[in-house]
Amino acid sequence: MHLNLNGYKMIYFLENLLREYCEEYSKKEDLSEAMKLKYSETALANNEDPNEYHNLLKYSHLGELVDFIRSKKFKENKQNSLEHVNISVLIKRRNDIMHSRSITHIEMDKISQSCDAISIALKDNNYNTKWNKFISTDINEYRIPLVHMVYPLGKNFDKLIGRNIELIELKREVTRPTPVSIVGHGGLGKTALVLQLIEDFLYSPDIPFENIYFMSFKNSAFENGNIRRFEKAINNHSDLILKLATFMGIDTKMYEFNEIENLVWEKMFSEKSLLILDNLETEIVKSNLKEFTDIAQRFIAEFSKPSRLIITSRYGLGDRESKLPLHQFKIENTKDLIKSYLSEAILEEKKIKQDDWDWIQSYTKGNPGLIIAFCNTLKSTRKKVMDLRVEYHTKYTEESKILHNQLEEFLVFCFENTIESMAIESQKFLAVLCYICSEANIAEINEEFLTYLKDEVGLKALGEHNLRSQLFTNIGFLQPIPLSDKYYVNELFNNYLDGNFSDNVFNVFKLKELEWYSEIEELKTHINEIQFDEEVSIGKLLSKLYLSKYQSKNDRKFLIQAFFCEPDLDKLIKIFSSSNQVEILNNFNLMNKVDVNLKSKAEKINQEKILSITIKSLVEINRMILSGKINKIRQRDLLGYYTQMENNIPILKNGSISLNIKKQACILLNNVKEYKKVEFLVKNEPKLIKELFISYMKQVGDASGMDRKKCLENIEKCRAIIKQYPKDIPTNLTAQFKLYCSRYFKKENPLEALTLLNNYEEYYVSDDTSATIFYLESLLVRMECLISVKGDINKILTSRDRFGKIFLGSQAQNIFKTKRDKMHEDFNRIEIKIKKYQKISKNIK
């Protein structure tokens, strides 16, 4: 082991020395375009700035560094004789570091000689001195990351394709103390991703981890279109602990197993260690899951330590770790992977066109394992891809049989030990999903679709915790669509469960056993009927399903759910039309869901329908507020709703709406004292002169006793309207105007106020609450004015008695409490004045 370690130390130190040498004597522009591109991609994959030359060199390998230093471009900056040095033994042993393979004495001598020769060939005393100092004094204390690997297969790729984003995310996750599970079905490249991570960590000058333990539970591989099975190197939890103990130098013969285990974890957390448990699903399906969840719990408990845990599994351990799901490739990644596996000559020979690429993506479903198998088939035949895709559907040619057979083998490889890991309730739900998606040709679903199945078919009885979308994302059945709330449905899963490949899982052939089978069949038929003419989006499909429920059950909740699935103005109108006024307010924010439609000029008819419904409801709610039927909503709240409509529906704000809507809006705006908005809406609308009159009149009432100038201006405006449009102003408004004017005149000109209120009885209607309010107030004003002008005491007393009689009558009991209390307070105050005035009148007599 000592020779092993020193040999690897030499290679590791020399590689960093060459990086330093390149950084001193060259610049980024000296690199070839291919090298710059490769290193930039790697730097980005490690979340580092590719514009920094240091970051590019950090990810260059020994052989690449030597080739660069030997290049003519480099020698323009610094002469060297590196081309005379044979570095093959260093390259070979560098690649063996991943597996910590033993180095013989002979190889050790060759490594030392090659390293010495390189340091001399650099022709720089400074670097030669650094090397000699390392060999003579520093090598024993020099630390390098060590990989301890139990993996039955070799690394089968030179460069990881199509997983840079996931690699960046994985490196970010490993900086956190929570264990990470890389999850997804077989063939997606979970192990390949981790092997690339190890390689990056291993050769990084930063040395993220001192020890990396890669422990594989793998017992099969997909090679050349077939599953190759072999004995696992680690069979269970006990094997794992003993293997780790061996790597750590713990004498397993001296201790009991529990003591060995304690020593292993003590050693694991005493150094900066990375533990990787690969293909763990092959074990947790068959053994005690708790033993492995306990491992995850150890790392969580030791969160303050730098050691980390990564698991690759088709399912994960549950909720004890952060999940990093791998998904199938998009067509661009599929192309990149195929081009990396096939030579340029083969690619040229196959003449792959866009239709061919589309078929390859359809056949492989973007699964890296199947893509590689397809590449091997492509290499083995002289036929073009166009020929293969035509022949594939016939199954008559040898190549088509190979493609079909390897697809079936791959399905087994992908999903064995995957679905078995799930609870039986989850398996049942998965079978239902696969069946409906396959039979109804659904390629995308969303959370609402899952909710529909749970709620409307009754599958919620399987247990909500067994039906979470995360469970089906973990195993790769659902693939999240970026920047969307939808998922792609994994067609390979559908094929697997449709194909009856395993008796150990609940597949679609067992659906007849479910109590919901008839409902599932009915739903499938209904979806196919909806999609008879055209394939609809998942939102439109769900909307139609919920509308069917609404039509059959007449329950508004289904209408609202239909709207959420596919928001449009027609459904919003139906919702508002079937709602009472308070329900409309509760659903007001639904307008935000159709914001684009509410601003579209093409939708004006529907926009006006919505405005008509909502404004009428606000007017009615205002009436209920004034009558005391509603007390949780204030008049000023109604203005907030109106403003929201102005923001949502531009035709309201710019006034390009029908006369009837303008009229309703004016009624509301006058009630909430938004008089400027009223003036804007009634501009150039003679038929709305009454609404304008009400606006001026209410301002008279609001300003009386406060702003006399403004009050008088509005009085004059009202008088002008009455004079010009006498027939358009009804009697009750004339009465109201006279009362408001009397408020203005009662202090400075009480005689004018009395003149306005003369014969006011003609406006009183005993069964009209509003008329009753105005008449009672007119009696109060009349009493005050008569006292002010020292009028006839009998007229005052008559007004007092009339007020008392009406105020105690049944109609007055309907007056809003606050208003009624204020009237009673004013009457008591005036009655005191009347008593004093009575005494004065008697004395005068």
Side-chain angles (χ1 to χ4, degrees):
M1 185 65 186
H2 177 71
L3 291 176
N4 244 329
L5 195 56
N6 279 353
Y8 291 136
K9 283 182 179 181
M10 288 182 193
I11 296 170
Y12 193 88
F13 181 86
L14 181 69
E15 192 167 69
N16 283 326
L17 193 72
L18 293 180
R19 290 187 182 115
E20 187 180 336
Y21 182 77
C22 289
E23 191 170 7
E24 181 174 352
Y25 291 114
S26 67
K27 51 189 180 297
K28 180 181 175 181
E29 290 71 23
D30 295 328
L31 295 173
S32 68
E33 289 303 315
M35 291 175 74
K36 274 191 283 190
L37 178 61
K38 177 181 177 182
Y39 299 156
S40 294
E41 288 178 352
T42 309
L44 286 170
N46 285 275
N47 210 22
E48 296 195 29
D49 185 0
N51 296 312
E52 294 289 333
Y53 189 35
H54 175 78
N55 290 339
L56 299 187
L57 292 174
K58 184 186 289 189
Y59 299 105
S60 56
H61 292 178
L62 180 64
E64 295 166 337
L65 289 165
V66 170
D67 287 342
F68 178 49
I69 295 168
R70 287 171 174 173
S71 69
K72 182 179 178 181
K73 188 70 176 176
F74 186 91
K75 287 186 176 182
E76 290 175 2
N77 304 318
K78 179 72 172 74
Q79 282 295 316
N80 62 80
S81 57
L82 208 54
E83 68 271 13
H84 301 301
V85 180
N86 183 357
I87 64 165
S88 59
V89 67
L90 300 183
I91 299 297
K92 179 181 182 299
R93 280 303 170 191
R94 182 194 187 280
N95 294 336
D96 286 344
I97 292 177
M98 281 280 286
H99 295 273
S100 302
R101 294 193 173 103
S102 179
I103 300 175
T104 66
H105 286 282
I106 295 172
E107 287 174 320
M108 185 65 189
D109 289 341
K110 288 180 180 179
I111 289 172
S112 181
Q113 290 167 11
S114 292
C115 291
D116 287 339
I118 288 173
S119 71
I120 294 169
L122 296 179
K123 293 188 176 181
D124 187 300
N125 289 334
N126 182 37
Y127 287 92
N128 194 30
T129 300
K130 285 183 180 181
W131 172 254
N132 290 331
K133 180 176 180 296
F134 169 73
I135 288 297
S136 60
T137 61
D138 296 343
I139 191 168
N140 290 332
E141 299 300 321
Y142 189 71
R143 296 190 65 91
I144 64 169
L146 297 176
V147 176
H148 312 280
M149 184 169 284
V150 177
Y151 184 50
L153 302 170
K155 180 168 170 273
N156 63 350
F157 62 93
D158 296 322
K159 178 185 175 185
L160 189 68
I161 302 292
R163 294 294 185 202
N164 278 355
I165 293 174
E166 291 88 345
L167 186 59
I168 292 171
E169 180 62 24
L170 180 57
K171 288 177 179 176
R172 188 181 298 119
E173 288 290 344
V174 172
T175 63
R176 300 162 182 156
T178 306
V180 185
S181 271
I182 305 168
V183 293
H185 62 67
L188 287 172
K190 299 184 294 296
T191 301
L193 178 63
V194 174
L195 290 175
Q196 185 64 58
L197 178 81
I198 292 173
E199 187 167 340
D200 287 356
F201 280 171
L202 183 62
Y203 297 119
S204 171
D206 303 329
I207 312 182
F209 293 98
E210 296 170 300
N211 289 284
I212 299 174
Y213 300 96
F214 183 88
M215 307 285 106
S216 179
F217 293 81
K218 187 181 284 290
N219 64 354
S220 65
F222 190 70
E223 296 178 351
N224 299 318
N226 293 292
I227 301 174
R228 179 163 75 87
R229 303 195 183 276
F230 41 78
E231 284 293 322
K232 288 195 292 184
I234 302 177
N235 286 294
N236 49 45
H237 174 259
S238 298
D239 276 1
L240 171 67
I241 297 300
L242 295 175
K243 289 283 185 185
L244 289 171
T246 301
F247 285 129
M248 293 173 177
I250 299 170
D251 189 346
T252 56
K253 295 179 181 177
M254 290 182 59
Y255 304 100
E256 297 292 328
F257 180 79
N258 65 324
E259 294 175 311
I260 296 170
E261 187 173 18
N262 290 334
L263 289 170
V264 163
W265 297 122
E266 184 180 332
K267 177 77 171 174
M268 183 72 69
F269 294 112
S270 67
E271 298 175 344
K272 198 171 185 181
S273 304
L274 175 62
L275 174 61
I276 298 163
L277 304 180
D278 182 53
N279 277 83
L280 193 58
E281 79 281 342
T282 64
E283 187 55 36
I284 61 176
V285 171
K286 301 168 186 173
S287 70
N288 184 3
L289 175 62
K290 185 178 183 302
E291 293 173 331
F292 293 96
T293 55
D294 284 349
I295 291 176
Q297 193 58 46
R298 284 180 185 273
F299 279 84
I300 294 171
E302 297 285 352
F303 66 91
S304 61
K305 303 292 177 62
S307 296
R308 298 289 184 261
L309 171 66
I310 296 175
I311 295 163
T312 78
S313 169
R314 299 181 181 189
Y315 195 63
L317 291 176
D319 296 325
R320 289 172 176 80
E321 74 273 51
S322 173
K323 301 286 197 312
L324 179 62
L326 292 195
H327 301 300
Q328 294 157 187
F329 279 175
K330 293 183 178 178
I331 191 167
E332 293 79 14
N333 298 130
T334 299
K335 288 180 180 180
D336 290 341
L337 185 55
I338 288 175
K339 289 174 181 177
S340 74
Y341 265 82
L342 300 179
S343 66
E344 289 187 11
I346 293 177
L347 286 168
E348 177 62 28
E349 176 189 318
K350 300 305 176 184
K351 304 288 184 188
I352 309 177
K353 295 182 172 59
Q354 186 57 48
D355 287 347
D356 300 325
W357 285 120
D358 292 339
W359 176 77
I360 292 170
Q361 182 71 5
S362 175
Y363 170 75
T364 63
K365 302 299 183 292
N367 193 294
L370 191 53
I371 292 168
I372 293 169
F374 177 78
C375 286
N376 293 330
T377 303
L378 207 55
K379 286 179 183 178
S380 66
T381 178
R382 299 300 302 272
K383 293 182 179 178
K384 294 181 174 56
V385 176
M386 181 184 69
D387 299 323
L388 293 179
R389 66 184 172 92
V390 171
E391 295 171 4
Y392 179 74
H393 297 288
T394 67
K395 302 185 184 180
Y396 291 139
T397 65
E398 190 60 33
E399 289 85 357
S400 68
K401 292 176 183 176
I402 290 172
L403 290 173
H404 279 282
N405 290 338
Q406 77 179 13
L407 177 58
E408 290 191 1
E409 279 280 285
F410 187 71
L411 288 175
V412 174
F413 174 74
C414 274
F415 303 114
E416 64 180 358
N417 299 321
T418 301
I419 302 171
E420 292 92 331
S421 305
M422 304 176 79
I424 186 62
E425 290 80 7
S426 296
Q427 290 187 31
K428 290 176 179 178
F429 194 63
L430 177 61
V432 171
L433 283 172
C434 285
Y435 178 67
I436 290 177
C437 290
S438 177
E439 293 294 312
N441 196 31
I442 298 175
E444 297 177 9
I445 65 173
N446 55 15
E447 291 287 353
E448 285 81 5
F449 186 75
L450 299 178
T451 300
Y452 185 90
L453 289 176
K454 288 185 280 188
D455 291 346
E456 307 310 323
V457 179
L459 295 170
K460 190 183 286 188
L462 293 169
E464 285 280 8
H465 61 288
N466 294 310
L467 313 180
R468 292 177 297 156
S469 58
Q470 186 63 48
L471 297 175
F472 307 106
T473 302
N474 288 346
I475 62 172
F477 173 67
L478 298 179
Q479 179 172 340
I481 300 175
L483 304 177
S484 168
D485 63 348
K486 300 182 181 69
Y487 304 93
Y488 290 121
V489 173
N490 188 337
E491 196 174 334
L492 287 174
F493 248 108
N494 286 344
N495 294 342
Y496 180 74
L497 287 177
D498 279 347
N500 201 19
F501 288 98
S502 173
D503 292 329
N504 299 322
V505 300
F506 192 95
N507 57 34
V508 296
F509 296 95
K510 299 178 182 178
L511 286 177
K512 291 182 180 179
E513 300 173 12
L514 296 179
E515 60 183 282
W516 308 280
Y517 180 67
S518 61
E519 295 174 64
I520 294 166
E521 280 292 303
E522 184 179 335
L523 176 61
K524 178 202 74 175
T525 303
H526 192 179
I527 293 174
N528 282 326
E529 288 172 352
I530 291 171
Q531 300 195 119
F532 181 77
D533 291 326
E534 61 174 334
E535 189 175 326
V536 299
S537 67
I538 187 62
K540 192 168 188 176
L541 172 63
L542 274 169
S543 182
K544 287 180 177 291
L545 290 173
Y546 278 122
L547 281 175
S548 297
K549 288 275 185 181
Y550 170 65
Q551 289 159 3
S552 63
K553 297 192 176 183
N554 197 29
D555 188 335
R556 283 180 61 257
K557 76 174 183 181
F558 295 116
L559 180 58
I560 294 174
Q561 285 169 317
F563 173 81
F564 278 122
C565 294
E566 190 191 30
D568 60 43
L569 297 189
D570 286 329
K571 294 192 198 76
L572 186 60
I573 291 167
K574 287 179 182 177
I575 291 170
F576 283 170
S577 298
S578 62
S579 304
N580 63 40
Q581 289 80 12
V582 175
E583 287 171 340
I584 288 175
L585 293 194
N586 292 337
N587 290 318
F588 226 71
N589 285 333
L590 294 182
M591 285 190 279
N592 295 330
K593 294 287 242 178
V594 286
D595 187 58
V596 175
N597 308 71
L598 290 173
K599 290 177 170 59
S600 170
K601 292 180 180 179
E603 293 271 18
K604 186 176 180 182
I605 293 174
N606 280 333
Q607 291 163 11
E608 289 200 326
K609 287 180 181 178
I610 289 170
L611 285 172
S612 179
I613 296 168
T614 50
I615 293 174
K616 282 179 181 177
S617 74
L618 292 176
V619 170
E620 181 57 32
I621 285 176
N622 183 69
R623 288 198 187 100
M624 289 190 279
I625 292 172
L626 294 175
S627 65
K629 293 179 181 177
I630 292 179
N631 52 27
K632 292 185 179 180
I633 302 173
R634 301 169 302 173
Q635 278 188 299
R636 297 303 296 176
D637 294 333
L638 303 182
L639 177 60
Y641 289 109
Y642 185 87
T643 303
Q644 183 178 336
M645 283 194 295
E646 283 186 314
N647 294 332
N648 284 335
I649 311 175
I651 61 170
L652 176 61
K653 195 164 191 175
N654 63 36
S656 56
I657 50 179
S658 70
L659 187 66
N660 186 53
I661 296 174
K662 282 185 178 181
K663 184 175 182 178
Q664 290 295 319
C666 288
I667 293 171
L668 174 68
L669 293 169
N670 275 326
N671 284 330
V672 296
K673 301 181 180 181
E674 283 295 311
Y675 307 121
K676 292 285 185 186
K677 291 182 186 290
V678 174
E679 287 188 54
F680 170 73
L681 289 176
V682 304
K683 189 176 181 181
N684 300 322
E685 293 283 5
K687 292 184 178 180
L688 296 178
I689 197 66
K690 184 178 86 169
E691 282 65 35
L692 182 60
F693 176 83
I694 293 171
S695 173
Y696 292 148
M697 179 188 67
K698 280 182 168 286
Q699 290 178 74
V700 172
D702 294 344
S704 59
M706 298 174 63
D707 187 339
R708 298 188 63 77
K709 181 181 178 183
K710 185 177 179 181
C711 187
L712 188 57
E713 287 175 0
N714 285 300
I715 287 173
E716 295 306 320
K717 289 177 182 178
C718 287
R719 285 173 172 170
I721 291 174
I722 291 173
K723 185 177 180 180
Q724 187 174 357
Y725 303 97
K727 294 181 180 180
D728 292 313
I729 309 304
T731 304
N732 65 310
L733 289 182
T734 303
Q736 192 174 349
F737 170 61
K738 287 183 178 182
L739 175 66
Y740 287 174
C741 288
S742 71
R743 289 180 186 171
Y744 171 76
F745 289 114
K746 72 178 180 179
K747 285 188 177 179
E748 295 186 8
N749 194 349
L751 286 173
E752 177 68 19
L754 286 169
T755 301
L756 286 166
L757 299 178
N758 191 33
N759 298 322
Y760 202 80
E761 285 76 14
E762 65 182 89
Y763 300 118
Y764 173 49
V765 181
S766 61
D767 59 354
D768 184 330
T769 303
S770 295
T772 302
I773 292 172
F774 296 143
Y775 183 57
L776 287 171
E777 187 175 350
S778 75
L779 291 172
L780 293 172
V781 173
R782 190 181 300 179
M783 284 185 275
E784 281 196 275
C785 290
L786 283 169
I787 293 171
S788 296
V789 298
K790 296 182 174 54
D792 186 346
I793 187 62
N794 292 321
K795 288 184 178 180
I796 296 172
L797 294 175
T798 301
S799 295
R800 182 195 67 180
D801 295 341
R802 189 174 293 153
F803 179 92
K805 182 179 179 182
I806 295 173
F807 191 75
L808 295 173
S810 60
Q811 192 62 40
Q813 306 309 308
N814 296 325
I815 298 173
F816 193 47
K817 185 177 185 302
T818 306
K819 182 72 174 175
R820 182 179 167 79
D821 290 346
K822 179 67 169 61
M823 280 186 172
H824 192 249
E825 181 184 327
D826 289 343
F827 176 73
N828 290 336
R829 176 176 51 80
I830 293 170
E831 192 163 40
I832 293 171
K833 288 184 178 182
I834 292 171
K835 288 177 180 178
K836 289 180 180 179
Y837 184 63
Q838 272 184 305
K839 291 179 181 177
I840 294 170
S841 298
K842 287 179 181 178
N843 291 334
I844 292 173
K845 289 179 180 178

